[in-house]
């Protein structure tokens, strides 16, 4: 303290000023106000923490006695199926309560598929995941979080949500864009998310690739086709959601390629969109699995596995279908859904291109997509 | 340090041209006009669009969205983050400003530039750095895991990220004011027998209070609004580790556009409530100060 | 890098303690002593900086070096990366300078004049910080797109703002505006009274008062504001990525390269770009801060 005194003393010669006496009361008030504010907000935050945990525990109607065996599941998913899970979770909770007499509370996290995967690897304690592409689950397998038999222990190879690519056009489709080939035509401008950052956009890439392949193109020709298509892209957004806005709200391009289910959801939420489902298309398969490492740690394997299996039941699939996913199995044959989901004549699958282990390489550093970007930069 | 008033006077030694009364009248109007036009283009029209999106279906949906439990939890989370990050950064900022403002030494410019760095680091990278330190595979990951301490994907990491991105504000706001102010009054206080602590609270802080206040305002606004860094370290679990900006993002992603914009509007309002504080300060101290001049 | 800097500062610290102990034999000992006898404000500053800034940056640096210098260089200087540096840094600089001019003007009218709704205008300056960046990007993209409120007025003249580099610049101006205003404002408040009145009493016009009397002492604050605004614009991602069309070699910004690598779980690659941005920003901040010091030499 006196050090400061010395230091300051060395600088100065006395100058008369009396301002400091007035400053005292004002400043004290300011500081005390500030402190009071800070303390208040901290206490509010602290109390709220307590409140939420207690309400969460009691909200599913738990009696204090059964509270002990309550179980908590953390569901980590990509952004789009939120609406479906919001509807499915209460049903599962009811069912589990009836069967096992146990309350399940859910903690949910939604975000970009890649970011969510990364978070789990870095320590986000998810019990169940629902991701946009198989490549992301493969990363979890590689990091030792999920056993490599994950496709075998649930129905449908773990693919819980199926959809296809949709081409969204301006009202009345003035440029008559119906197939993926139309996107390569000169003068057509279209919007997609960037495959480098968006899982959905990687599916779009393979929708184009699949189209070229189904027309009999070899790898070279297919690459040329895809390159030509990407040459016409006006905006490469960060994710699928932003591409919808760039097209619909900000008027970019003549067409937008996005998930069919996302278009249906957007329409339900009041966006005005005209779309066609190309007849040569790719099956967009979104996988789910339990995270073995975490469920064993939390002791939630049984209920987590039950939830994952429940997602494949007609009950749950109906909820998925309501928000735009193509229902699995027999459910798809119901009249309502046949009308809602126009049939696709030639449906490609990612397995035809080596599955996601191979397919992901396209987007890695120096992969095919980098070649395409270099090509576009040159022209 | 330079004495302010003496450095100005020589500037007006040049023979002053006659100031005309007419000039005084239109200059402010033109200046205000230009400033407001610029603000309108960059700030107001885009901001009005946010309000329009939030309210174009009336107040009903807006109020309904405010009632959502997840929303309320996110709001409390954001307040909690700001409540810790702001005082921390204020203390750091004051110490730094005090240490740096009146000393000249080798490396001072470098140190000042380093203090600015958190702004230049992309928020995503800021989050990444925290993960690299405290994440499962991070430097301290094994240590923390052994002891069952959860830092990333929990409140502590979110707090670190928030404090990181809003770190330099107070220091950077106070340093210029402190430099401008000079040491005269403090010296006077010492001569009158005040100890350093008294001098600091009674002389320095009142003098730098505008800089300090703006620093706190900015810290608070930035702390509440931060998305990028927090999103990397939060895990975004609704009702648990979701702050308001993350809530906005999630609502937007699931096409709940109104909910997203309502939350954004509330966030904007929350962040500027500190201006109420400024108003109080102005009312209470402004009058006193003017008299002393 | 960071530790070097702090080391040189410890040594250079002109406190009485450091000076008195400079006679002791080993330089390490004198360094240690200067830490032990540092004023407490310095201790808090360095402790906080070490924990909040140096440690994380060190983690980032070591991560980026794990891939080896050759790979580091390849990622840092790929043609795409170089073009994104160009887009990011020039656009940020221009945006910060424009903000510098208008920010001073705004601070000036807020401090000097009274006009209707002034308090509201004052309050609104912080909005760009408070709005989540994604919302900012979204609303800017909407308003400045061809069918938006402002964009539609400019479209007939063939000016396209959203989804071009111009749009990126607008977003950067938006997010860094508060820096300049809020740095200049307190200084302006501090100095207005005595000096301006003195100048006026000598008969200077308000323009002269501003240019000759107010600007010189304001200059450091303005530069600080511009420096901060610039660095914020360089790092900004959330809003710029939405208003940019993200076309490589055209308006793709550098932070998105980081994000792309993160998405591939390539932390090392991401930190490489992060380090490059950090070093360039640090250099530019140094230049700006040096100009500031240099400018003050003539006070």
């Amino acid at each position: 303290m006196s050090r400061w005194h010395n230091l300051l003393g060395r600088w100065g010669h006395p100058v008369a000023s009396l301002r400091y006496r007035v400053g005292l009361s004002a400043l004290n008030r300011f500081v005390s106000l500030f402190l009071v504010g800070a303390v208040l907000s901290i206490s509010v935050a602290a109390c709220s923490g307590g409140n939420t945990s207690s309400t969460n525990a009691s909200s599913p109607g738990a009696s204090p006695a059964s509270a002990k065996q309550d179980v908590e599941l953390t569901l980590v998913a990509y952004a789009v199926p939120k609406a479906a899970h919001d509807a499915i979770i209460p049903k599962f909770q009811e069912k589990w309560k009836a069967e096992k007499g146990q309350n399940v509370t859910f903690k949910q996290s939604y975000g970009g598929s890649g970011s969510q995967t990364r978070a789990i690897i870095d320590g986000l304690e998810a019990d169940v995941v629902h991701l946009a592409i198989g490549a992301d689950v493969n990363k979890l397998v590689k990091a030792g979080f999920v056993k490599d038999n994950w496709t075998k222990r649930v129905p449908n190879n773990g693919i819980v949500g199926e959809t296809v690519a949709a081409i969204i056009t301006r009202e009345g489709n003035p440029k008559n864009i119906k197939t993926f080939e139309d996107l390569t035509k000169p003068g057509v401008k279209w919007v997609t998310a960037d495959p480098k950052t968006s899982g959905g956009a990687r599916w779009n890439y393979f929708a184009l690739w699949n189209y070229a392949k189904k027309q009999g193109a070899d790898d070279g020709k297919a690459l040329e086709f895809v390159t030509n298509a990407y040459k016409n892209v006006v905006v490469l957004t960060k994710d699928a959601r932003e591409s919808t806005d760039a097209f619909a709200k900000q008027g970019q391009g003549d067409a937008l390629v996005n998930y069919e289910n996302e278009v249906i959801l957007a329409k339900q939420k009041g966006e005005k969109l005209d779309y066609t489902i190309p007849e040569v298309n790719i099956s967009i398969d979104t996988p789910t699995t339990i995270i073995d490492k975490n469920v064993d740690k939390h002791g939630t394997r049984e209920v987590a596995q039950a939830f994952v299996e429940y997602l494949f039941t007609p009950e749950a699939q109906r909820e998925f279908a309501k928000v735009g996913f193509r229902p699995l199995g027999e459910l798809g044959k119901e009249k309502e859904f046949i009308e809602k989901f126009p049939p696709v004549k030639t449906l490609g699958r990612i397995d035809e291109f080596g599955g996601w282990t191979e397919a992901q390489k396209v987007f890695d550093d120096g992969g095919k997509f980098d070649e395409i970007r270099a090509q576009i930069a040159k022209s | 340090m330079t004495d302010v008033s003496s450095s100005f006077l020589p500037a007006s030694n040049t023979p002053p041209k006659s100031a005309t009364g007419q000039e005084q009248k239109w200059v402010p109007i033109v200046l205000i006009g230009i400033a407001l036009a610029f603000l309108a283009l960059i700030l107001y029209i885009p901001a009005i669009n946010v309000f329009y999106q939030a309210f174009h279906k009336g107040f009903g949906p807006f109020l309904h969205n405010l009632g959502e439990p997840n929303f309320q939890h996110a709001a409390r989370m954001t307040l909690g983050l700001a409540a810790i990050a702001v005082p921390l950064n204020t203390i750091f900022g004051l110490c730094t400003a005090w240490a740096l403002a009146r000393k000249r030494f080798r490396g001072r410019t470098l140190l000042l530039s380093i203090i600015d760095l958190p702004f230049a680091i992309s928020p995503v990278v800021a989050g990444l750095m925290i993960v690299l330190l405290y994440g499962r595979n991070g430097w301290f990951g094994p240590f923390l895991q052994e002891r069952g301490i959860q830092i990333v994907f929990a409140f502590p990491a979110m707090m670190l990220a928030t404090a990181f991105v809003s770190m330099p504000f107070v220091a950077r706001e106070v340093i210029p004011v402190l430099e401008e102010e000079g040491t005269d009054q403090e010296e006077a206080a010492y001569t009158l027998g005040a100890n350093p602590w008294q001098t600091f609270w009674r002389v320095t802080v009142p003098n730098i209070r505008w800089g300090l206040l703006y620093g706190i305002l900015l810290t608070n606004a930035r702390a509440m609004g931060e998305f990028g860094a927090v999103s990397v370290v939060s895990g975004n679990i609704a009702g648990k580790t979701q702050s308001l900006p993350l809530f906005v993002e999630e609502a937007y992603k699931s096409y709940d556009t109104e909910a997203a914009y309502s939350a954004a509007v509330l966030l904007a309002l929350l962040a500027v409530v500190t201006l109420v504080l400024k108003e109080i300060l102005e009312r209470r101290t402004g009058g006193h100060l003017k008299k002393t001049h | 890098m960071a530790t070097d800097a702090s080391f040189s500062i410890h040594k250079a610290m002109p406190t009485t303690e450091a000076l008195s102990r400079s006679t002791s034999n080993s330089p390490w000992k004198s360094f240690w002593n200067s830490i032990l006898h540092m004023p407490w404000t310095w201790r808090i500053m360095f402790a906080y900086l070490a924990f909040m800034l140096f440690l994380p940056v060190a983690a980032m640096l070591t991560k980026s070096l794990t891939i080896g210098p050759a790979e580091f260089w390849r990622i840092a200087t790929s043609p795409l990366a170089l073009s994104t540096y160009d887009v990011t840094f020039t656009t940020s600089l221009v945006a910060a300078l424009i903000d510098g001019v208008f920010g001073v003007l705004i601070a000036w009218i807020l401090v000097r004049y009274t006009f209707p709704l002034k308090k509201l205008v004052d309050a609104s300056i912080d909005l760009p910080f408070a709005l989540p960046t994604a919302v900012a990007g979204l609303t800017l993209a909407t308003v400045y797109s061809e069918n938006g409120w402002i964009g539609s007025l400019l479209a007939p003249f063939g000016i396209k703002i959203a989804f071009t580099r111009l749009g990126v610049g607008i977003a950067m101006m938006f997010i860094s505006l508060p820096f300049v205003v809020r740095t200049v404002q307190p200084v302006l408040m501090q100095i207005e009274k005595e000096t301006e009145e003195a100048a006026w009493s000598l008969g200077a016009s308000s323009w002269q008062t501003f240019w000759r009397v107010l600007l010189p002492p304001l200059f450091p604050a303005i530069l600080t504001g511009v420096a901060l605004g610039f660095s914020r614009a360089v790092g900004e991602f959330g809003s710029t990525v939405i208003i940019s069309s993200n076309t490589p070699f055209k308006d793709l910004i550098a932070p998105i390269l980081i994000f792309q690598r993160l998405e591939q779980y390539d932390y090392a690659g991401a930190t490489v770009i992060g380090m490059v941005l950090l070093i360039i920003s640090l250099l530019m901040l140094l230049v700006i801060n040096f100009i500031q010091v240099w400018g003050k030499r003539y006070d």
Side-chain angles (χ1 to χ4, degrees):
Chain A
M1 235 33 106
S2 62
R3 212 171 289 137
W4 276 109
H5 198 169
N6 289 337
L7 224 80
L8 287 166
R10 278 199 291 141
W11 277 338
H13 45 277
V15 177
S17 163
L18 296 168
R19 199 203 277 185
Y20 88 95
R21 239 194 281 157
V22 186
L24 164 69
S25 59
L27 208 275
N28 274 351
R29 252 180 259 141
F30 168 56
V31 170
S32 52
L33 249 170
F34 176 73
L35 287 178
V36 166
V39 168
L40 265 180
S41 352
I42 290 173
S43 55
V44 163
C47 294
S48 68
N51 280 343
T52 34
S53 53
S54 64
T55 47
N56 275 332
S58 60
S59 57
S63 64
S66 71
K68 270 181 198 161
Q69 41 169 305
D70 280 359
V71 64
E72 187 181 283
L73 276 188
T74 305
L75 167 68
V76 171
Y78 75 108
V80 186
K82 180 174 187 288
H85 286 297
D86 278 345
I88 294 168
I89 283 170
K91 291 189 174 178
F92 175 75
Q93 283 170 325
E94 216 169 90
K95 181 172 171 273
W96 189 258
K97 173 89 177 158
E99 283 173 12
K100 309 268 172 176
Q102 190 182 34
N103 291 309
V104 194
T105 49
F106 275 83
K107 291 288 174 200
Q108 302 169 66
S109 163
Y110 299 94
S113 188
S115 312
Q116 299 289 60
T117 310
R118 208 169 61 228
I120 292 168
I121 295 175
D122 281 326
L124 178 61
E125 307 232 326
D127 298 295
V128 178
V129 283
H130 181 187
L131 297 170
I133 53 174
D136 286 333
V137 182
N138 290 345
K139 281 182 203 158
L140 291 175
V141 173
K142 215 173 144 193
F145 281 85
V146 175
K147 287 189 185 143
D148 54 9
N149 67 347
W150 67 275
T151 51
K152 311 237 161 54
R153 57 194 178 190
V154 279
N156 202 32
N157 289 331
I159 305 305
V160 72
E162 282 189 5
T163 186
V164 292
I167 299 180
I168 300 100
T169 53
R170 298 276 163 219
E171 217 179 329
N173 199 357
K175 298 225 170 169
N176 200 24
I177 301 161
K178 284 194 171 127
T179 66
F180 289 111
E181 190 156 13
D182 295 333
L183 296 175
T184 62
K185 286 179 182 161
V188 171
K189 299 278 167 221
W190 63 291
V191 178
T192 173
D194 189 340
K196 285 266 181 180
T197 54
S198 157
R202 276 171 230 169
W203 284 112
N204 293 347
Y205 174 94
F206 276 102
L208 290 164
W209 183 264
N210 174 61
Y211 179 88
K213 283 294 202 179
K214 293 281 143 66
Q215 309 302 313
D218 60 9
D219 277 13
K221 278 269 189 302
L223 190 64
E224 199 186 315
F225 175 84
V226 176
T227 308
N228 284 335
Y230 276 99
K231 270 184 190 159
N232 284 344
V233 169
V234 277
V235 180
L236 276 173
T237 60
K238 186 171 101 242
D239 54 46
R241 173 68 177 92
E242 280 163 20
S243 68
T244 308
D245 266 1
F247 177 79
K249 290 238 168 69
Q250 287 122 34
Q252 299 300 303
D254 310 305
L256 160 76
V257 178
N258 205 343
Y259 300 121
E260 180 193 38
N261 72 307
E262 183 145 351
V263 183
I264 292 173
L265 182 69
K267 280 177 78 105
Q268 284 170 357
K269 298 280 183 176
E271 308 269 337
K272 287 188 195 99
L273 301 166
D274 270 9
Y275 69 99
T276 45
I277 302 299
E279 290 186 334
V280 180
N281 214 318
I282 189 146
S283 176
I284 297 177
D285 303 332
T286 66
T288 182
T289 180
I290 58 169
I291 307 289
D292 293 274
K293 196 170 178 178
N294 291 342
V295 292
D296 288 344
K297 186 173 157 194
H298 302 158
T300 48
R301 178 175 283 275
E302 191 194 0
V303 60
Q305 182 67 20
F307 177 68
V308 167
E309 276 163 20
Y310 183 74
L311 293 177
F312 291 91
T313 61
E315 258 178 301
Q317 282 297 316
R318 193 176 294 279
E319 294 301 331
F320 273 113
K322 272 186 197 161
V323 293
F325 285 91
R326 298 197 161 213
L328 302 175
E330 295 299 302
L331 204 60
K333 289 175 185 150
E334 283 183 21
K335 190 168 167 275
E336 175 198 354
F337 296 129
I338 289 174
E339 279 167 15
K340 192 169 178 180
F341 302 108
V344 173
K345 267 189 196 153
T346 319
L347 192 63
R349 293 209 169 257
I350 197 71
D351 295 341
E352 297 169 34
F353 313 111
W356 272 111
T357 339
E358 280 304 307
Q360 176 60 28
K361 289 179 185 157
V362 171
F363 309 106
D364 285 345
D365 239 21
K368 279 207 188 80
F369 193 72
D370 277 357
E371 272 175 53
I372 292 173
R373 287 211 292 199
Q375 278 281 320
I376 295 169
K378 268 184 224 154
S379 60
Chain B
M1 263 316 292
T2 50
D3 180 281
V4 174
S5 41
S6 70
S7 74
F8 291 145
L9 288 173
S12 43
N13 277 349
T14 45
K17 290 173 188 119
S18 61
T20 50
Q22 295 97 324
E23 200 185 54
Q24 299 290 333
K25 263 182 211 159
W26 62 261
V27 166
I29 297 172
V30 171
L31 289 182
I32 292 171
I34 297 172
L36 289 184
F38 177 79
L39 277 175
L41 280 178
I42 296 296
L43 201 58
Y44 295 148
I45 296 176
I48 287 168
N49 182 50
V50 173
F51 280 79
Y52 169 78
Q53 298 281 357
F55 293 117
H56 75 287
K57 286 190 183 155
F59 278 87
F62 179 75
L63 291 175
H64 174 258
N65 290 325
L66 296 196
E68 288 261 317
N70 281 347
F71 169 84
Q72 291 185 349
H73 183 273
R76 282 191 295 256
M77 191 94 191
T78 292
L79 285 177
L81 287 173
I84 294 177
V86 173
L88 268 184
N89 284 332
T90 306
I91 294 167
F92 162 74
L94 279 177
C95 287
T96 307
W98 187 255
L100 295 187
R102 284 156 181 187
K103 283 198 193 160
R104 295 291 176 272
F105 53 88
R106 218 146 38 89
R108 180 180 183 267
T109 313
L110 180 65
L111 193 56
L112 275 175
S113 308
I114 287 174
I115 289 167
D116 292 341
L117 261 192
F119 290 141
I121 293 174
S122 193
V124 182
V125 175
L128 176 65
M129 295 193 304
I130 291 170
V131 171
L132 287 175
L133 282 177
Y134 308 104
R136 204 180 59 91
N137 305 314
W139 284 8
F140 306 125
F143 174 86
L144 294 166
Q145 266 184 316
E146 251 168 53
R147 281 153 191 81
I149 305 168
Q150 181 87 14
I151 301 251
V152 282
F153 310 113
F155 189 81
M158 295 170 75
M159 201 275 294
L160 284 175
T162 307
F164 182 87
V165 295
S166 58
M167 189 160 96
F169 285 111
V170 174
R172 282 321 233 136
E173 290 293 310
V174 173
I175 288 172
V177 184
L178 217 49
E179 285 180 344
E180 191 55 54
E181 190 63 30
T183 54
D184 300 354
Q185 293 176 14
E186 280 150 28
E187 283 152 16
Y190 284 121
T191 348
L192 293 172
N195 69 31
W197 191 243
Q198 285 172 318
T199 315
F200 175 73
W201 280 117
R202 298 183 188 178
V203 181
T204 315
V205 177
N207 283 337
I208 59 167
R209 70 192 197 292
W210 293 122
L212 179 60
L213 186 77
Y214 284 123
I216 293 174
L217 279 180
L218 292 179
T219 310
N220 183 57
R222 186 87 176 82
M224 285 187 168
E226 177 52 19
F227 169 76
V230 173
S231 77
V232 176
V233 299
S234 91
N236 191 28
I237 302 169
K240 200 169 164 192
T241 62
Q242 193 175 54
S243 68
L244 217 41
L246 297 176
F247 177 88
V248 171
E249 172 88 353
E250 186 182 299
Y252 168 71
K253 286 279 147 70
S254 46
Y255 290 88
D256 280 335
T257 317
E258 272 92 47
Y261 279 106
S262 320
V265 163
L266 189 86
L267 196 52
L269 295 179
L270 266 184
V272 294
V273 284
T274 31
L275 281 155
V276 177
L277 195 74
K278 185 195 154 203
E279 191 66 11
I280 295 169
L281 183 71
E282 214 164 41
R283 290 257 163 89
R284 298 222 169 152
T285 69
H288 292 295
L289 263 175
K290 267 170 203 151
K291 275 174 216 157
T292 59
H293 268 287
Chain C
M1 171 210 72
T3 40
D4 280 356
S6 57
F7 184 73
S8 74
I9 287 149
H10 292 308
K11 284 212 300 192
M13 229 181 29
T15 56
T16 44
E17 296 74 32
L19 290 173
S20 66
R21 286 194 174 52
S22 60
T23 46
S24 63
N25 34 21
S26 99
W28 178 250
K29 207 172 178 185
S30 77
F31 164 68
W32 186 242
N33 273 332
S34 73
I35 289 185
L36 282 180
H37 298 272
M38 221 187 280
W40 59 274
T41 46
W42 283 79
R43 280 189 218 171
I44 293 181
M45 177 177 81
F46 277 120
Y48 198 74
L49 275 180
F51 181 67
M52 294 294 294
L53 186 62
F54 298 155
L55 188 65
V57 170
M60 179 160 114
L61 185 67
T62 38
K63 187 79 190 176
S64 69
L65 292 178
T66 53
I67 53 169
E71 183 70 359
F72 187 108
W73 188 249
R74 190 189 66 76
I75 293 175
T77 61
S78 73
L80 183 60
L82 291 179
S83 87
T84 61
Y85 303 150
D86 173 40
V87 172
T88 301
F89 286 103
T90 42
T91 318
S92 303
L93 196 62
V94 171
L97 288 175
I98 295 175
D99 267 349
V101 174
F102 284 98
V104 173
L105 181 63
I106 293 162
W108 172 257
I109 66 159
L110 286 177
V111 174
R112 293 292 298 122
Y113 303 139
T114 46
F115 51 91
L117 298 179
K118 182 177 143 180
K119 290 228 163 78
L120 202 65
V121 173
D122 194 2
S124 65
I125 301 294
D126 296 326
L127 266 182
F129 285 158
L131 279 182
T133 48
V135 175
L138 216 63
T139 182
L140 284 169
T142 306
V143 168
Y144 280 97
S145 67
E146 287 108 288
N147 47 16
W149 291 346
I150 300 175
S152 59
L153 301 177
L154 296 169
F157 304 101
I159 304 171
K160 197 170 179 271
I161 293 184
F163 306 105
T164 67
R165 217 164 142 172
L166 214 55
V168 176
I170 298 265
M172 286 173 169
M173 274 155 73
F174 176 87
I175 51 154
S176 50
L177 180 67
F179 285 105
V180 182
V181 180
R182 293 302 195 215
T183 338
V184 173
Q185 222 174 345
V187 182
L188 207 52
M189 283 172 143
Q190 204 84 288
I191 62 176
E192 59 171 336
K193 296 270 152 34
E194 307 105 27
T195 48
E196 243 176 292
E197 277 158 19
W200 277 9
S201 67
L202 292 169
S205 71
S206 55
W207 183 245
Q208 281 175 314
T209 312
F210 176 75
W211 198 246
R212 296 230 174 109
V213 181
L214 284 172
L215 204 57
L218 274 184
F219 197 62
I222 297 172
L223 269 180
T224 305
V226 170
L228 297 182
F230 164 77
S231 28
R232 174 91 169 90
V234 168
E236 174 57 10
F237 169 67
S239 61
T240 39
V241 73
I242 292 179
I243 201 167
S244 155
S245 76
N246 299 317
T247 313
F249 301 98
K250 210 180 100 204
D251 61 356
L252 190 74
I253 48 164
I256 199 165
L257 281 186
I258 300 174
F259 192 77
Q260 289 182 354
R261 292 195 174 267
L262 276 185
E263 282 297 293
Q264 296 165 34
Y265 204 69
D266 176 10
Y267 278 7
T271 50
V272 168
I273 308 281
M275 277 314 292
V276 172
L277 288 191
L278 189 127
I279 290 164
I280 302 178
S281 308
L282 183 64
L283 289 178
M284 295 186 92
L285 285 170
L286 267 174
V287 169
I288 296 174
N289 285 330
F290 264 120
I291 297 174
Q292 191 184 318
V293 172
W294 177 80
K296 263 197 243 160
R297 213 165 267 181
Y298 300 99
D299 274 8

